[in-house]
Amino acid sequence: MAEDMYVPLQATTLRSEEMTETERFFEFKLDSGEPLGHEPGQFAEVSIPGIGEAPISISSSSTRSDTFEMVVRNVGNVSNGMHQLSKGDKIGIRGPFGKGFPVEEDMKGKDLLFICGGIGLVPVRSAIQHVLDNRSDYGSISILFGAKSPSERLFVDELAEWKEDDKIDCFMETVDKGDESWAGNVGLITTCIPKVDHDISNTKVIICGPPVMYKFVLIELEKLGFSHDDIFVSLERRMKCGVGLCGHCQINGYYVCQDGPVFKYSDIEDEKGAI
Amino acid sequence: MSKKAVSQSELENWVDSVIQGHKTYGVKSKQDKYDYGILENASQLKLDYDVTIRSPKFLFLPAVESIASFNRENAKYESEIENEAFVVFGVHPYDVVAINQMDTIFSQPNRDEHYMTRRNNATIVAVDVQTPSEDVFAGYMGTATVEEGFDVLVTRIGDDAYLIDAATEKGEKLIASLSGANDADDSDIQSRADVWEENKNKLRRHELEVEPSEWPELLKKSVESPLWEEKSEKCFSCGSCNLVCPTCYCFDVQEDVNWDMKSGKRVRTWDGCMLTNFATVAGPHNFRADKAERYRHRYYRKGAYVPEKIDGEIACIGCGRCINACVAKIANPVEVMNRLAEEK
């Protein structure tokens, strides 16, 4: 009998660390010893036995390790279950699934502008790590990150490194609402976009954030004259099976689990309900 | 392959002999309606039924099935695949077409072993329609008759005469006990052709004014039609249309922990795109919260999205079950397509 694509592989929790009040960071390794073999922007189905399975973005680049990292906000059954994981705990993994960021085919040789809001940084981090590890393949790199408040910033150590990193040409952060601890920018992420020195004809833009962010970021990019062919968005849907069958993640004729989660904006801009 | 011409009693003897040797499903009476069930003897089998409550899809994609067992301690999952041969008697041609569409969907490009194992274990005995149901429109959908996709086809060609046609090796094996029966002659074959011709016209209880091949194009132009709001205002989001549809295959997967709290089952159940929380993600955020959007989505799946995956075939086979099941009386695909065509 052929292999059953619904059966997860066993994996072990190597690290489980609090990142913010609501987000937790995990590092996992497949028990087979094989790397997961994912591309930047792909996701995997995580099983917490007894609770269920949910699609979770992979946050690390396979250029760095045979392990893989995830960051999860505790908003659902499976994510709450993941928040209980300790080092050594076992989980089930299926995947990787879907189309990630086109770091090879579309992005090579181009200037890159990453625009991330909140936990939108989680999947995009895999692409940022990938391009930093293959730095000579790309033009200038700009990273914009916006969080609701300073306490909701993710990967704070890595953000500090990126700020100092010579390989990154422009790094800008902002928070919607500051506090005493915050001396940086305050304001929506859209206010940062015009401050980047863009070569519009040679730039690919990668956007990931909460649904409401896309609308305003896309308006801002439109104003600056970016082509919709040069914009990539990573979309969230309920990717239950991961293999294009169960129907939950459909955006009209597209299955986000197979055709996405990363889409070229021009491919889906006319799809009702996509953005 | 063999074609046999048999009497009513020869047919019944054959069905009884099949029941003796196989796990056998067939169409049975259920109060004033019909449904598939396990056959204990040939007299239970109703070959002149109008339509079954459930489509035969449940034989391949059960409403509830365990797909894996798990151990909570080490997160080890083990596949559970039902692997038992069976025969099903009485599948109408439109349902044969639906099964064939599902076969494509569950085998390409990602093969669903649970569905495909059941499918490969099945021997399908199709039956040409004798009594059209009150809502059938298969005659317009090109699904009133079939020439392939089954193992055996039974057609009533006279008061006490049936043509039994084996179409596959499996079918040939199933009718082996009829080897003593008369071979069908040209006039029997002609009688069947007459039945087919008649059924193509008889199975037209709702008049469809749009060729199925024109559905995808028509739908593409109808995204903004007021019809979606209008019709869906009455929708209860009950999902009845999804449940009875032979080409609805969306599913959900959940986990049941056993009483020992250590092990459990991963369970797959039918789901339906008309249900309120079908597209809800954690948060919660519902990407299809508006019932007009859900209503529209269902018709686009049948007439545009799924056809793209299965070589242009329309994923509505004209059985009319949704028309009958819908309490709000808004689920008639013929009404929807005719109205969209009028708007253009």
Side-chain angles (χ1 to χ4, degrees), chain A residues 113 193-196 198 200 218-226:
Chain A
L113 169 59
I193 299 171
K195 296 180 194 161
V196 183
H198 307 284
I200 287 168
L218 288 164
I219 291 171
E220 199 55 43
L221 293 172
E222 182 88 11
K223 272 194 232 161
L224 294 170
F226 280 97

Side-chain angles (χ1 to χ4, degrees), chain B residues 6-289:
Chain B
V6 302
S7 66
Q8 176 84 30
S9 63
E10 280 175 305
L11 174 83
E12 283 178 16
N13 289 340
W14 169 57
V15 174
D16 271 326
S17 77
V18 170
I19 291 171
Q20 293 306 312
H22 305 80
K23 181 180 184 181
T24 308
Y25 293 90
V27 177
K28 298 158 84 170
S29 289
K30 191 162 186 172
Q31 286 151 355
D32 59 342
K33 296 190 175 191
Y34 300 93
D35 192 21
Y36 289 91
I38 292 284
L39 286 183
E40 282 133 11
N41 56 65
S43 65
Q44 294 176 326
L45 177 63
K46 302 294 174 196
L47 289 183
D48 59 352
Y49 76 96
D50 55 359
V51 65
T52 52
I53 301 169
R54 289 182 295 175
S55 91
K57 80 175 170 191
F58 80 94
L59 295 167
F60 314 109
L61 183 71
V64 180
E65 68 176 307
S66 173
I67 58 170
S69 61
F70 61 79
N71 176 329
R72 283 182 70 201
E73 203 54 42
N74 60 8
K76 188 167 174 56
Y77 284 78
E78 279 177 276
S79 180
E80 288 195 347
I81 290 181
E82 196 176 274
N83 192 359
E84 185 187 15
F86 64 91
V87 177
V88 51
F89 272 103
V91 181
H92 274 169
Y94 48 78
D95 280 336
V96 170
V97 174
I99 292 169
N100 284 276
Q101 291 186 359
M102 294 303 100
D103 294 349
T104 308
I105 284 163
F106 280 93
S107 60
Q108 297 166 3
N110 299 312
R111 186 181 166 89
D112 186 310
E113 273 312 311
H114 305 271
Y115 178 100
M116 291 309 295
T117 304
R118 286 198 190 84
R119 181 64 183 89
N120 291 332
N121 267 321
T123 304
I124 294 179
V125 182
V127 173
D128 274 312
V129 178
Q130 295 174 45
T131 316
S133 71
E134 84 183 90
D135 289 315
V136 69
F137 56 99
Y140 291 102
M141 302 306 294
T143 56
T145 61
V146 273
E147 295 186 34
E148 57 182 18
F150 49 82
D151 298 298
V152 178
L153 175 64
V154 177
T155 311
R156 187 164 184 250
I157 51 171
D159 283 344
D160 186 25
Y162 291 86
L163 176 64
I164 298 183
D165 184 354
T168 62
E169 288 299 334
K170 254 191 214 172
E172 194 69 33
K173 241 168 100 183
L174 198 74
I175 70 162
S177 65
L178 283 172
S179 56
N182 291 333
D183 286 330
D185 60 23
D186 287 350
S187 84
D188 298 323
I189 308 276
Q190 184 53 50
S191 300
R192 182 174 71 174
D194 295 342
V195 169
W196 284 356
E197 212 39 51
E198 196 187 328
N199 277 357
K200 282 174 190 167
N201 293 316
K202 262 188 0 192
L203 272 55
R204 294 181 176 225
R205 293 295 182 87
H206 294 272
E207 194 183 340
L208 179 66
E209 289 153 13
V210 192
E211 282 289 315
S213 60
E214 293 167 10
W215 287 23
E217 214 34 58
L218 177 60
L219 285 168
K220 253 176 227 165
K221 293 185 213 149
S222 305
V223 179
E224 303 297 341
S225 165
L227 173 131
W228 312 119
E229 283 287 345
E230 240 171 71
K231 289 263 185 196
S232 66
E233 264 175 26
K234 294 183 189 151
C235 181
F236 295 114
S237 300
C238 70
S240 298
C241 53
N242 294 133
L243 294 181
V244 298
C245 181
T247 68
C248 269
Y249 60 90
C250 288
F251 58 81
D252 194 18
V253 177
Q254 304 202 333
E255 301 206 338
D256 279 349
V257 180
N258 294 334
W259 288 108
D260 63 9
M261 293 299 283
K262 290 175 184 159
S263 59
K265 302 270 188 205
R266 176 164 280 186
V267 178
R268 166 155 79 175
T269 57
W270 287 355
D271 206 344
C273 61
M274 299 296 275
L275 300 173
T276 313
N277 286 324
F278 184 74
T280 301
V281 296
H285 182 86
N286 188 347
F287 285 100
R288 225 176 282 123

Side-chain angles (χ1 to χ4, degrees), chain A residues 1-11 31 46-53 73 75-77 79 89-94 211 235-255 258 271-274, chain B residues 67-68 70-81 83 105-106 108-114 117 223-224 249-257 266 268 271 277-285 287-288 293 296-297 301 305-306 308-309:
Chain A
M1 198 165 290
E3 208 179 308
D4 182 354
M5 64 184 171
Y6 297 121
V7 173
L9 298 173
Q10 285 168 287
D31 289 0
V46 174
S47 290
I48 303 293
I51 297 177
E53 193 176 47
R73 180 176 289 175
V75 284
N77 295 334
S79 54
D89 285 348
K90 301 286 186 184
I91 59 164
I93 287 286
R94 289 192 302 126
L235 300 182
E236 182 191 14
R237 286 297 184 278
R238 186 176 164 199
M239 289 92 88
K240 186 91 194 184
C241 74
V243 292
L245 281 170
C246 81
H248 292 93
C249 71
Q250 260 190 298
I251 296 176
N252 304 338
Y254 289 105
Y255 280 84
Q258 301 260 292
E271 296 293 336
K272 203 175 157 79
Chain B
I67 58 170
F70 61 79
N71 176 329
R72 283 182 70 201
E73 203 54 42
N74 60 8
K76 188 167 174 56
Y77 284 78
E78 279 177 276
S79 180
E80 288 195 347
I81 290 181
N83 192 359
I105 284 163
F106 280 93
Q108 297 166 3
N110 299 312
R111 186 181 166 89
D112 186 310
E113 273 312 311
H114 305 271
T117 304
V223 179
E224 303 297 341
Y249 60 90
C250 288
F251 58 81
D252 194 18
V253 177
Q254 304 202 333
E255 301 206 338
D256 279 349
V257 180
R266 176 164 280 186
R268 166 155 79 175
D271 206 344
N277 286 324
F278 184 74
T280 301
V281 296
H285 182 86
F287 285 100
R288 225 176 282 123
E293 291 288 313
R296 187 179 64 93
H297 182 75
R301 256 187 87 99
Y305 310 150
V306 175
E308 260 177 54
K309 290 166 73 113

